[in-house]
Amino acid sequence: MNKQFYRSLVYVSRSPERGLCDTLGQRGWDVAALRSGREARAHLAARHPTVGVFDFASGFSSHELAGFKSCFATAGIGWVGILAAPQLTNELQRGVIRRYFSRFVTVPYELDSIADAIGHEHGMVVLNAETDALTVRDEIVGTCPAMKDLFRAITKVANSEAPVLISGESGTGKELTAMAIHKRSVRRNGPLVVINCGALPYHLVQSELFGYERGAFTGAFQRKIGRIEAAHGGTLFLDEIGDLPLESQSIVLRFLQDRKIQRLGGTESIDVDVRIIAATNVTLEKAVAEQTFREDLYHRLCVLRIAEPPLRKRGEDIEVLAYHMLEKYRSDASHQIRGFSDEAIKAMYAYSWPGNVRELVNRVRRAIVMSDGRVLGPADLELDYMLSEGNNTLTHVREAAEKRVIEAALRRHRGRSRPAARELDISRATLYRLMANYGGRAHQDSTAASTRTPAVPAACDEEQEEWKERYAKVGNARRKD
């Protein structure tokens, strides 16, 4: 980052003080004095300043303050607040200061004191510049300790050529992490080729990975370069490696050992130079113990390891991500949306997010399009039931937890009940009973006018339809038995 980037500052106030602007200019700051949330959002997107000064004392309303939250949550910028002493007792302003601001001064203040505070905040941002730049460039948004550990790990493993295994639940952003590693490696100018291992049928594995020569089989009218060969000089990302069928794993292992391929119908061995990154939402150690994943392949892949934290363990990142997505998809709305209500924020923190970041993105995008108000509430996110006292009983909590665990197990095993039941350490009959029970109760709940609790807390409407079909199949199977 250049020097100009580091000395850029945004000053947001209803009535910017000329003396403060002059003092900061004399100290080498490029000051942009702005008066509205729209101006601030546009400036932050275009200039990426390192420090922001927000004048609470200039008279912004509560609704206007909510519209600035996406600015406060922007990665790579430190905020300094200016407040009147009585504002320190205001709960809304206290919450914003506590969550987003490192420093604040009260009026009246000395110009040199606030300039010193800004300089100190700038220094702290510079120290974390690599982490902050990573979040800005790669859409990996997060400020919690777990995400900062992830950013540091990405920087370290990018300097190595060793294979990397990225583990984490579905929807946590494993592919974004793989892309960030590739873009920071010496292979950044080479291709990044993604292979979804869970979608590769056994009879097509060799032709997809290794390619084929003309005439190798019926329909092979010309030579086709395989996915591995296409990644030569770059990175090969093996996504969902834990879902690769056992009979196909030996094919991948052979390539990892020899780093050579042979096209179907060909006789020539071709050397391929690639860096391997794999990702999985399956616990590979358990799969190895259950003999559904080859141990030798596991050790080939798991040289360096990165764990993606689930959204429910990322604390205030939930709100940061929500505002980031609101800013990104704001143009989808038919009217201006200022932000989220306090109740919506509470509901998001109360929810367990089984679909992780992918689910949050879907819920926010749907709310932006469907909402009629200027502030998104819990009902817009379809999370209003999280604030209902009736759902806080031990029975509801236990049933919701069982639903989430069953959903996750079935997703990991692509709807196959036998391995899912084995992972959950229950019989298939018990799994069928739980699925049928929750399906029946969820169906009743969805037809009741007094509740808006979704049948399954899914990441999207299509996933709910999939669950309804699955429950119907379970009921038919039980009747046949």
Side-chain angles (χ1 to χ4, degrees):
M1 300 178 187
N2 56 38
K3 186 175 181 180
Q4 183 178 1
F5 173 93
Y6 279 130
R7 302 299 293 178
S8 177
L9 178 147
V10 58
Y11 173 28
V12 184
S13 175
R14 283 284 194 199
S15 52
E17 184 180 347
R18 184 66 185 175
L20 178 57
C21 293
D22 291 342
T23 299
L24 294 174
Q26 292 169 6
R27 293 202 178 193
W29 286 101
D30 177 15
V31 181
L34 309 174
R35 290 174 169 80
S36 69
R38 179 174 296 181
E39 289 180 355
R41 288 190 293 270
H43 184 83
L44 293 182
R47 297 293 301 276
H48 304 301
T50 52
V51 181
V53 178
F54 190 86
D55 189 359
F56 290 87
S58 62
F60 289 105
S61 67
S62 298
H63 284 302
E64 289 174 318
L65 192 59
F68 281 105
K69 284 188 177 181
S70 61
C71 300
F72 300 151
T74 301
I77 179 171
W79 286 93
V80 178
I82 300 175
L83 295 94
Q87 291 177 305
L88 293 174
T89 61
N90 182 286
E91 279 302 318
L92 175 61
Q93 293 172 342
R94 284 166 59 91
V96 171
I97 288 287
R98 185 167 53 248
R99 185 166 295 155
Y100 301 109
F101 285 66
S102 301
R103 290 168 180 79
F104 68 89
V105 298
T106 56
V107 292
Y109 56 81
E110 295 183 0
L111 294 177
D112 286 338
S113 66
I114 190 170
D116 290 341
I118 291 169
H120 190 275
E121 187 63 24
H122 158 72
M124 296 304 296
V125 171
V126 171
L127 289 176
N128 295 307
E130 180 61 28
T131 293
D132 295 334
L134 187 149
T135 66
V136 169
R137 292 200 299 269
D138 299 306
E139 287 295 313
I140 307 176
V141 179
T143 59
C144 70
M147 291 303 291
K148 290 186 177 181
D149 289 343
L150 174 65
F151 301 151
R152 284 190 287 268
I154 288 173
T155 302
K156 289 179 180 179
V157 303
N159 296 323
S160 171
E161 284 285 276
V164 182
L165 179 64
I166 305 171
S167 60
E169 297 177 10
S170 179
T172 51
K174 297 185 288 296
E175 185 169 352
L176 286 177
T177 297
M179 293 171 62
I181 294 171
H182 170 73
K183 287 193 288 186
R184 281 160 183 74
S185 71
V186 295
R187 299 175 179 270
R188 64 179 68 90
N189 295 323
L192 171 64
V193 176
V194 180
I195 300 175
N196 187 344
C197 297
L200 281 178
Y202 174 70
H203 62 284
L204 295 179
V205 169
Q206 287 188 290
S207 61
E208 283 293 317
L209 297 186
F210 302 146
Y212 51 81
E213 299 287 354
R214 178 180 178 181
F217 50 83
T218 302
F221 299 115
Q222 60 184 6
R223 171 188 289 177
K224 178 184 176 181
I225 300 300
R227 309 294 292 279
I228 293 176
E229 190 175 354
H232 180 74
T235 303
L236 182 67
F237 178 43
L238 303 173
D239 197 13
E240 304 301 349
I241 188 69
D243 293 335
L244 187 67
L246 186 62
E247 58 269 20
S248 302
Q249 293 173 19
S250 59
I251 299 174
V252 176
L253 177 63
R254 186 170 70 248
F255 162 69
L256 294 179
Q257 290 172 334
D258 302 335
R259 295 303 175 105
K260 297 177 183 291
I261 64 166
Q262 185 173 310
R263 302 189 193 106
L264 289 179
T267 58
E268 178 187 4
S269 283
I270 304 170
D271 292 325
V272 180
D273 175 29
V274 296
R275 199 260 177 97
I276 302 296
I277 301 177
T280 180
N281 61 6
V282 175
T283 304
L284 290 187
E285 293 86 351
K286 188 173 182 179
V288 169
E290 295 174 349
Q291 298 184 347
T292 58
F293 198 85
R294 293 181 62 117
E295 184 175 8
D296 44 4
L297 177 57
Y298 168 74
H299 290 300
R300 284 278 178 181
L301 295 172
C302 190
V303 179
L304 302 174
R305 186 159 192 166
I306 291 179
E308 293 274 351
L311 183 57
R312 62 182 174 276
K313 293 184 178 180
R314 289 176 55 180
E316 293 181 354
D317 276 2
I318 294 173
E319 185 176 354
V320 172
L321 278 162
Y323 272 101
H324 177 77
M325 294 305 162
L326 174 60
E327 190 63 33
K328 183 175 182 179
Y329 298 109
R330 187 186 295 270
S331 60
D332 292 347
S334 58
H335 59 283
Q336 184 180 10
I337 296 178
R338 296 174 177 170
F340 298 90
S341 68
D342 290 341
E343 290 76 15
I345 298 297
K346 291 177 183 177
M348 285 191 284
Y349 280 130
Y351 187 51
S352 62
W353 299 105
N356 290 294
V357 178
R358 185 182 297 125
E359 180 181 0
L360 185 145
V361 173
N362 289 344
R363 286 185 182 273
V364 172
R365 292 194 68 178
R366 184 165 57 240
I368 289 172
V369 173
M370 302 303 294
S371 173
D372 296 321
R374 293 190 177 276
V375 178
L376 299 181
D380 297 312
L381 297 166
E382 299 183 1
L383 292 176
D384 49 333
Y385 68 97
M386 296 304 302
L387 302 180
S388 171
E389 293 182 0
N391 275 349
N392 290 331
T393 65
L394 181 60
T395 299
H396 280 92
V397 172
R398 182 173 60 249
E399 290 182 354
E402 286 183 349
K403 284 182 185 180
R404 292 194 299 270
V405 172
I406 291 171
E407 288 174 38
L410 287 168
R411 278 198 298 267
R412 282 193 290 272
H413 296 286
R414 307 183 67 78
R416 299 192 298 270
S417 59
R418 187 185 300 276
R422 186 165 56 245
E423 177 185 327
L424 296 171
D425 197 24
I426 59 177
S427 67
R428 291 177 70 190
T430 300
L431 177 60
Y432 288 153
R433 177 178 56 78
L434 291 172
M435 290 170 61
N437 287 345
Y438 290 144
R441 184 177 298 117
H443 177 72
Q444 293 169 7
D445 289 345
S446 66
T447 58
S450 61
T451 180
R452 298 185 73 256
T453 304
V456 177
C460 59
D461 294 339
E462 290 82 356
E463 190 174 355
Q464 290 188 10
E465 293 301 322
E466 178 185 339
W467 269 86
K468 290 178 182 178
E469 294 177 6
R470 190 174 295 160
Y471 289 138
K473 291 178 181 178
V474 170
N476 293 334
R478 294 186 70 200
R479 283 192 288 272
K480 289 180 182 179
D481 293 341

